[in-house]
Amino acid sequence: MNLYFSGIIIAVFSFLIIGLFHPVVIKTEYHFGTRPWWIFLVLGIACVCGSVLIKDILLSACVGVLGASLLWSIGELFEQKERVAKGWFPMNPKRKEEYNTEKQADKK
């Protein structure tokens, strides 16, 4: 009987990458706000494009998952800003004015 581990390896990699990006998004928003969204975009597109050029199916799938996670993180970065504004996550006191101007705009 032959056993094939590609599926479970991809699943474990996907689980780890998603778990890694959760705190990355939180820390990125805390320290830099949403300004670095374009970095996630460029890296995500590069990984997705790279995945179609990689012959090895396992590596190609893992790079594709990484690219999709990077692209998904763009939306999460902006949602994280909203969660901080709602008080669900700590606000960086050095960037407090970014949240105050949004709240004032919502009141108008």
Side-chain angles (χ1 to χ4, degrees):
M1 171 168 45
N2 292 334
L3 298 177
Y4 302 98
F5 293 99
S6 298
I8 195 71
I9 292 170
I10 294 168
V12 168
F13 181 80
S14 299
F15 179 76
L16 292 174
I17 224 46
I18 291 167
L20 173 73
F21 273 95
H22 179 70
V24 166
V25 166
I26 292 169
K27 296 292 185 187
T28 300
E29 196 287 324
Y30 183 84
H31 292 290
F32 307 107
T34 56
R35 289 184 311 251
W37 71 268
W38 62 271
I39 296 171
F40 289 96
L41 178 68
V42 170
L43 293 174
I45 291 172
C47 286
V48 169
C49 291
S51 72
V52 300
L53 301 174
I54 297 172
K55 187 174 182 178
D56 180 65
I57 190 72
L58 185 61
L59 184 58
S60 175
C62 289
V63 172
V65 167
L66 177 61
S69 296
L70 283 160
L71 293 173
W72 185 269
S73 294
I74 297 168
E76 287 299 316
L77 190 60
F78 286 94
E79 287 183 26
Q80 179 65 18
K81 186 174 184 177
E82 293 174 17
R83 292 187 284 261
V84 171
K86 291 178 182 178
W88 297 353
F89 283 84
M91 180 185 303
N92 186 340
K94 294 177 183 176
R95 296 186 310 100
K96 201 172 206 172
E97 68 282 349
E98 290 180 31
Y99 300 101
N100 290 336
T101 56
E102 283 182 10
K103 288 180 181 179
Q104 292 169 358
D106 289 341
K107 289 180 183 178
K108 290 181 182 180

